[in-house]
Every structure is written in C-alpha cells, then in structure tokens.
Amino acid sequence: MKSLKWLLIVSFLLLSFGYAVSNDASAEGVSPAGQTAATDKLVLTMGSANMVHNGSTYQSAQPVVSINGRTFIPFSSIAARYGYKISYDALKKESIAKSDTHQLVFKIGSDAATRDGVPTKLTGAAFISNGYLMVPLRSWGEMADSTIAVVGKEITLKWSTAVIPPKPTADFEVQPAAIYAGQTLVTYVDHATNATGLPFVDERWNGRMDVFPEAGTYVVTREVEDSNGVWSDPYSVTVTVLAPNLPPVANFATDKPQYRIGETVTYTDLSTDDGNAIVRSTFTGNDKAFFEPGDKAVTLTVEDKDGLTSTVTKTVTVTNEVLYTKDDYDQLFAATGDIFAVDGQAVLNFPSYKYRIVSEAAQMVRSNSPETLVQEGIEYNAQLSDKVRFMFHNVNKIGYPVTIHLLATNMGSSTVNYNKSAAGMGGPTPSPELAGKLSASRYLTSLASNPSPQWSTIRPGETKEILPEIAKTPLKPNDSLSSYVDVYSDKELVYNIVVTAVGKDPVAQLPNLPVMPRDGVHVRGTFYSADRSIDIDDQIGDTPMRVMFGDKTVDTILDGIDETTGQLEYNLGNFGVLYRMHLSHVAPRTMIALNARGGLYTGAFLVNGQLVTVANNQALRNNAQSAVLYRTGDSEEAVDIVFTIASGSNLPIAMTFAPLPALRQ
C-alpha cells in the first residue's frame, strides 16, 4: 500500500508540474560566442537528505518533504547545488539567491516570489522547518530553468550551465630595461597565454612605439584575440624613457708636464659620463716609466654601460735626463709578484748559500704517475694513520670526461675518527701549469688561515669519499687537475685515489678497479719526512746571494715507497714537500726574488703570511726572468717564507737576495 501511495503522489506531482520526462541530452554544446554549455544533473530522493549532484553525493540541510501534495526542499541546499549565492534582507525579510543570470527572491510565509524582479506565483508558500527556509521544488525548477523527471521516489532535476572559457592574457615585456629617448630600439617580448590552447588571431596595441621620441612616462597597452573570438582584457606596461644617453668623455692627467728617464708617471683618470656608468677604462702606452727620451703617446678609451665609447690621446714628454735605468727601476718599483728582466748568467755568479735542512716526520702521498690518465682505475693506494698530506696532479687523456676521488676504507674493527683541514684545488683547466699554480696558491692560503678541522667518522668496513669537492667538476678530455689536502685519522685507513667515468659510483666501483701502471717518468709514493725547515741565521742580502731549490744537491731528493709495488721511490723535484724558511737577518733594502733556472715556473709563496703568486697573471718563462717576492725596508728584518713546489712547473729555481739600488730624487 505504501508503494502505491508514493506512486500516486509522484504521478500527481509529475502531472501538476507540467514537465515531461526527458532523456539525458548531449553533455556539452558550443555557442557561437565560443561558450560551452554543460548539463548539470541533480538526483533527490523523497524523504532523504542525500543530494547526488553530477555523480557526487552531498547532504541537504533538511530531507525533501511532501506537504499537501507539494514537494519542498531547503532553500540554502538547492541554491548551493545550482551555484547561486544566497543572502538575507532583514529589513524586507527576503531570502535572495543570485547567479550570473538570475536573481530569485523568496519570503517566509508567502506563496509569491520574484525572478529578476518579475513576480511569480509559487505552488506553495515558503516556510521555516528546524530553522531552514523550505521552498517548493516545482517553483524552484521553473525559476531556475530546470527540467524534472520522477521515477519512483527519485526526482531528477537537469539544467544547462553556460561555461565561459577563461579569457586569454595579453602579457608582454618591454626591453631593454634602460630606454633612451630617440636612441633605443625597443623590443616587445610576447608572454601572452591562453588556457584553452587556442591560437591568437589578432591583437590591438595602444601606445606602442619602436623608438620613443621624448623622455617621460608612457603606457603601452595590448589586447589579444583567440580563434574563438574571445578578446583578452587590456594588459598595460608603464615605460619610463630616459633622456638621450650621451657618450662618456675620456680624460686623464699626469702629475707633471714632463719626466726624466726612469721617473714614475702617475696617471689620474678624469673621465666622466652623464649616467656615471663607465664600465671599462683601457689605457695604452701608459708605461709606469719611460726609458727613452721623446714624446710618448698615451691613449685612454672609456666605455659606458650602453656600449658608447670615447677616446683621448695625450703626450707625455720625456727628457734626456736619467733618473733610473730600467734595471734599477724594476728592482725598486716592480710590484710584488711581477716579472722583471735579469741577466740569467749573472744569477749563476751569485754565491749559492749552503743551507741546512731539518726534516720533520710529516707523511705525504704524491700521486703523479701516471700523470697522463689513459684508463679508469686506482692511481694509488696506501695504508696510513695520523696526519697525511695528499698531492695529486693529472691530465685526462682517456677520451671522455672523468672524475677523481679520494676514498678511505676502515679495515679495522672499531670506528675511525678523521678530519680534513687545509686544502687547495686547481682546475679542471687545459693548462697543467695553471692547475699547479692555483692549487698551490689555494693550499697555502688555506694553510695560513689555520682552518678548523672538519671531523667525521668511518665505521668498520665502510668506505667514504674524503674530498668530494674535487669530483664536483669533471675533467673533460685534455683537462688537468691539481690538488692538495691535509687529512688526519686516529687509526689506520686504506686510502685509494680513484679515477672513474662521470656518473659512476666510485665506492661501488672500487672492488673491481685495477691499479694503474706507472708511466715510468713521474712519481707516486708515500714519503715520511715531507716537511722541511730551513733556518738561516746569517745576515743575508747585503751582497748578492742565491738559495737553490730542486737542484738535487743542497735540496736533496726525498725518498719513500710506492705502496702499490713495494719499490723504493724518489720524489724527483720534491713536489708536495712543504718548505718553511726562517731568515733571521735580512739586510735593509734587500730585494728577494725568484729566478726560473729550469724554464717555465709559476707558483705561490707565503711571505710573512701574505700570499705572493709567481708571476701574478703570467709565468716565468726562462732564466732571464725573475719575480718580486719581497723587499725589506730601511732596517734589518726577519722574514718567513712558506711554499711548496708548484706542479706543472720546471726546476730548479733560485731564490735570490740582492741589495736594492739607491733611491734618487
């Protein structure tokens, strides 16, 4: 009987609504304006609060109810499913539902409502149930442009929703950042987007110019249209146009109108720019001093940030009077680290000081054989504890990019504590000499800073990479790498220097890697007296003198062992050895210089704690060149020099001490 009763009620509702039962229509359609029409479907069940909207279930504030043959539903719940925003006018006691297309207004206890301001008769008066406004379902369906179908207890509402596609954006960028009136050709960079993926077919600009004629502020606006006929909102960029950029004005002055031969010329750059934006000043002919009489042309070219340039040439007059010869001038005024010319044969005539070496029990590993890498594998391995200095220098000739790794393995039964302190790396670079110079410079700088040790642990059986920074940048074919690092461990570790192709895990590869054969020329081995102290207590510098390094006579060759073969090894050149010289009595006005005796040399020295690179941005090429290391003042000084022979350079080298020429006015 209940089923029959519900069937009669539903049939009555269906007939009284005057709606036809409809089948599902097409889900979407496209209007001429490019909008899409989507069909929403809402399924209600008589006596239930469940609302199934497009397949998703929601809860109504109150169940759907039937009163006197009229079906009612909570106003707030049905409005939410239709996407209407609701509000309440307390003065008029009206409940309002508003969408982009309609505004529906209901009043408690009234069977009248309005749609878009037009009165309409409801099938039943709206009322309050448990605090919620209930409105007649049939009337809501009519006012919200819906169809209704009833099957048993289920009531299905359907309505069409116009889906407006998002508008495209007309975003753009104006370049360059600095725009000058009448000068800058402006570029407009397109950043327009369209969420629909449709192409653009048209655009409108307002205020666009390729060259802005006057300084000031301009607004450039753009709109774009896609192939669906949808125009974007206007997109505007404010462009600030600067006054025309004037070229800089090159100008300089010298401190005197004329100079003697060998007299220092002081140049003062007086160049100006309207934007105070000179980025480059280039002198030519501006020698620090001239050593021939006559008029010397000196040119200065300056360039501003926009590439505008200016050039000026002035004349420096040099008289016949001699203040200094070139040799005297260089000895007195060449900058620390700079090269000056010497008589290479005359240097050999300087007496060679026979210093005494005190060797310290410092461990050093030199991995330099094979210097030229031709395969992946283990360059060197050694079992060591306590402090060890590692030094390696290699050139990649394998034919593909590789990385070098320093690995440590704990073969014992207890955890090993280890640290690393001073370190320096040079390269990768195509120049072996530069790699050696940079690694020595950086290692000495690190050593002078006395860095705090970086502690870590290695568990029994574990292998760790000690110096991961050297593997960060691969060695391309023909690149060189040079490196130093000080490592300490409180128990024995097995160290391996490993070369692998880029991307391979060196720890995983280690058990399968072969030990590389020696190249028969260079050195690899472990050396146990690798720090050398040299104390010279005699006064030095009052007469010319030289101190030789790498000569195999006074600076004797350090011996050690190649732990991969067990053979005796000689550290030819003593690369990796750390020298500490203390000169107790260096005469007043003494030039300390470095002279290359074996050919090319470039490296670094700590002189009284200050880094000196030899030879600054160059290299000593032969024995006719020296580089300034230090000059003492007007009184005797103690001088400390710390260095290591730079990889990639040639030996021997001579450190020379000679009196400076007299100063003249």
Side-chain angles (χ1 to χ4, degrees):
M1 290 297 292
K2 271 189 176 180
S3 298
L4 179 60
K5 180 180 178 181
W6 277 113
L7 181 59
L8 291 172
I9 292 172
V10 170
S11 299
F12 173 78
L13 287 171
L14 182 59
L15 293 172
S16 63
F17 282 4
Y19 289 163
V21 177
S22 61
N23 295 322
D24 284 348
S26 173
E28 290 190 353
V30 180
S31 71
Q35 298 179 359
T36 58
T39 299
D40 276 64
K41 179 180 178 181
L42 179 64
V43 179
L44 307 173
T45 302
M46 193 67 70
S48 171
N50 286 340
M51 310 172 75
V52 181
H53 185 195
N54 294 336
S56 298
T57 301
Y58 302 86
Q59 288 296 306
S60 173
Q62 293 285 303
V64 177
V65 297
S66 176
I67 300 175
N68 298 325
R70 299 289 186 262
T71 304
F72 290 83
I73 190 163
F75 168 73
S76 59
S77 300
I78 192 72
R81 300 278 53 84
Y82 275 71
Y84 281 69
K85 293 182 179 178
I86 63 173
S87 60
Y88 181 71
D89 187 332
L91 187 63
K92 296 181 180 180
K93 298 183 179 180
E94 292 177 341
S95 296
I96 303 163
K98 189 173 182 179
S99 70
D100 292 338
T101 54
H102 298 301
Q103 177 172 290
L104 313 182
V105 180
F106 298 85
K107 194 168 186 177
I108 300 171
S110 174
D111 62 356
T114 63
R115 176 175 124 146
D116 303 330
V118 179
T120 184
K121 179 79 171 168
L122 302 177
T123 58
F127 66 93
I128 296 294
S129 174
N130 296 324
Y132 292 94
L133 178 67
M134 305 292 286
V135 296
L137 183 59
R138 174 184 173 187
S139 298
W140 175 274
E142 291 174 345
M143 297 171 72
D145 300 324
S146 305
T147 63
I148 187 168
V150 179
V151 177
K153 292 184 180 182
E154 284 191 353
I155 306 168
T156 301
L157 295 165
K158 291 183 180 179
W159 67 96
S160 294
T161 304
V163 180
I164 302 174
K167 293 180 180 180
T169 63
D171 191 3
F172 67 94
E173 179 184 359
V174 179
Q175 292 183 347
I179 298 174
Y180 297 97
Q183 293 178 330
T184 306
L185 181 62
V186 176
T187 300
Y188 296 86
V189 182
D190 184 10
H191 294 306
T193 59
N194 196 358
T196 65
L198 295 174
F200 300 118
V201 296
D202 199 4
E203 63 180 352
R204 292 193 290 251
W205 290 89
N206 184 26
R208 173 172 172 158
M209 299 183 198
D210 293 334
V211 177
F212 290 91
E214 302 291 339
T217 300
Y218 296 78
V219 177
V220 181
T221 302
R222 180 195 191 201
E223 297 172 80
V224 294
E225 181 191 20
D226 68 16
S227 59
N228 238 354
V230 179
W231 282 92
S232 70
D233 291 327
Y235 184 89
S236 297
V237 173
T238 300
V239 180
T240 301
V241 179
L242 306 173
N245 180 32
L246 300 176
V249 177
N251 188 25
F252 69 93
T254 56
D255 58 326
K256 295 173 62 175
Q258 61 182 29
Y259 296 87
R260 293 168 288 178
I261 290 173
E263 185 174 8
T264 297
V265 182
T266 301
Y267 303 90
T268 303
D269 189 343
L270 303 174
S271 303
T272 58
D273 180 65
D274 61 331
N276 195 28
I278 293 175
V279 296
R280 190 171 294 105
S281 298
T282 305
F283 273 104
T284 55
N286 61 324
D287 293 0
K288 293 180 180 179
F290 297 94
F291 299 97
E292 292 181 355
D295 290 335
K296 312 299 180 183
V298 179
T299 299
L300 170 63
T301 299
V302 293
E303 180 182 345
D304 71 10
K305 65 182 179 63
D306 295 301
L308 299 182
T309 61
S310 174
T311 299
V312 64
T313 299
K314 295 187 178 183
T315 299
V316 175
T317 300
V318 182
T319 68
N320 290 313
E321 184 180 355
V322 177
L323 179 63
Y324 293 112
T325 64
K326 187 172 188 327
D327 287 346
D328 286 351
Y329 185 89
D330 286 343
Q331 290 181 59
L332 287 167
F333 303 114
T336 301
D338 274 1
I339 294 173
F340 64 95
V342 296
D343 182 340
Q345 183 59 43
V347 171
L348 282 183
N349 294 329
F350 291 4
S352 178
Y353 189 89
K354 300 301 188 287
Y355 57 86
R356 177 175 167 269
I357 293 173
V358 176
S359 295
E360 299 177 15
Q363 299 178 114
M364 186 269 291
V365 167
R366 177 180 173 187
S367 179
N368 190 211
S369 180
E371 182 176 80
T372 299
L373 302 173
V374 295
Q375 68 179 83
E376 298 177 51
I378 298 170
E379 284 192 68
Y380 190 69
N381 59 28
Q383 292 182 247
L384 297 165
S385 62
D386 213 332
K387 185 176 180 180
V388 186
R389 179 167 56 254
F390 288 89
M391 173 263 171
F392 35 96
H393 180 80
N394 300 102
V395 182
N396 178 17
K397 293 288 186 180
I398 296 178
Y400 49 82
V402 298
T403 48
I404 298 179
H405 309 266
L406 176 59
L407 307 180
T409 302
N410 180 1
M411 302 296 289
S413 58
S414 59
T415 296
V416 175
N417 299 298
Y418 77 94
N419 69 49
K420 57 183 178 180
S421 50
M425 184 179 79
T429 170
S431 169
E433 299 84 11
L434 179 59
K437 178 179 182 176
L438 290 174
S439 63
S441 299
R442 292 164 180 169
Y443 174 69
L444 291 174
T445 300
S446 178
L447 193 68
S449 71
N450 192 26
S452 298
Q454 301 173 36
W455 285 95
S456 190
T457 59
I458 304 180
R459 299 187 304 273
E462 184 182 15
T463 298
K464 276 193 175 181
E465 187 157 11
I466 301 296
L467 198 61
E469 48 266 44
I470 66 172
K472 286 183 178 178
T473 305
L475 275 74
K476 299 188 295 291
N478 301 314
D479 271 357
S480 299
L481 178 73
S482 185
S483 189
Y484 298 85
V485 62
D486 289 341
V487 178
Y488 169 85
S489 66
D490 62 357
K491 300 181 185 69
E492 190 173 85
L493 289 171
V494 176
Y495 293 99
N496 283 278
I497 299 171
V498 170
V499 179
T500 63
V502 173
K504 289 185 178 179
D505 181 349
V507 175
Q509 293 289 314
L510 181 60
N512 304 315
L513 291 174
V515 176
M516 299 180 188
R518 300 165 56 94
D519 62 19
V521 176
H522 299 90
V523 176
R524 72 179 180 196
T526 304
F527 304 90
Y528 297 96
S529 300
D531 284 6
R532 292 187 164 183
S533 295
I534 301 168
D535 290 328
I536 298 178
D537 293 326
D538 297 325
Q539 188 178 66
I540 191 168
D542 52 349
T543 60
M545 185 173 291
R546 60 189 167 97
V547 176
M548 300 298 298
F549 296 96
D551 64 344
K552 305 179 185 178
T553 304
V554 181
D555 185 20
T556 54
I557 298 173
L558 186 66
D559 60 39
I561 187 172
D562 179 352
E563 293 197 42
T564 65
T565 64
Q567 295 179 351
L568 177 67
E569 178 70 304
Y570 292 99
N571 186 19
L572 300 175
N574 283 337
F575 293 92
V577 171
L578 188 68
Y579 294 84
R580 290 185 173 89
M581 293 181 65
H582 177 71
L583 310 169
S584 301
H585 305 285
V586 182
R589 295 187 50 74
T590 295
M591 155 84 84
I592 305 176
L594 192 77
N595 179 239
R597 302 309 306 175
L600 184 147
Y601 191 89
T602 181
F605 295 77
L606 284 174
V607 183
N608 289 343
Q610 299 299 309
L611 185 72
V612 178
T613 55
V614 175
N616 286 340
N617 294 323
Q618 305 177 59
L620 298 172
R621 298 288 174 183
N622 52 59
N623 61 23
Q625 293 181 321
S626 288
V628 180
L629 292 181
Y630 188 71
R631 295 182 183 92
T632 58
D634 292 333
S635 58
E636 181 182 278
E637 295 183 27
V639 178
D640 289 288
I641 302 175
V642 180
F643 66 97
T644 185
I645 303 296
S647 300
S649 290
N650 298 317
L651 296 172
I653 53 175
M655 190 177 292
T656 61
F657 300 78
L660 288 167
L663 290 170
R664 304 184 184 93
Q665 297 296 322

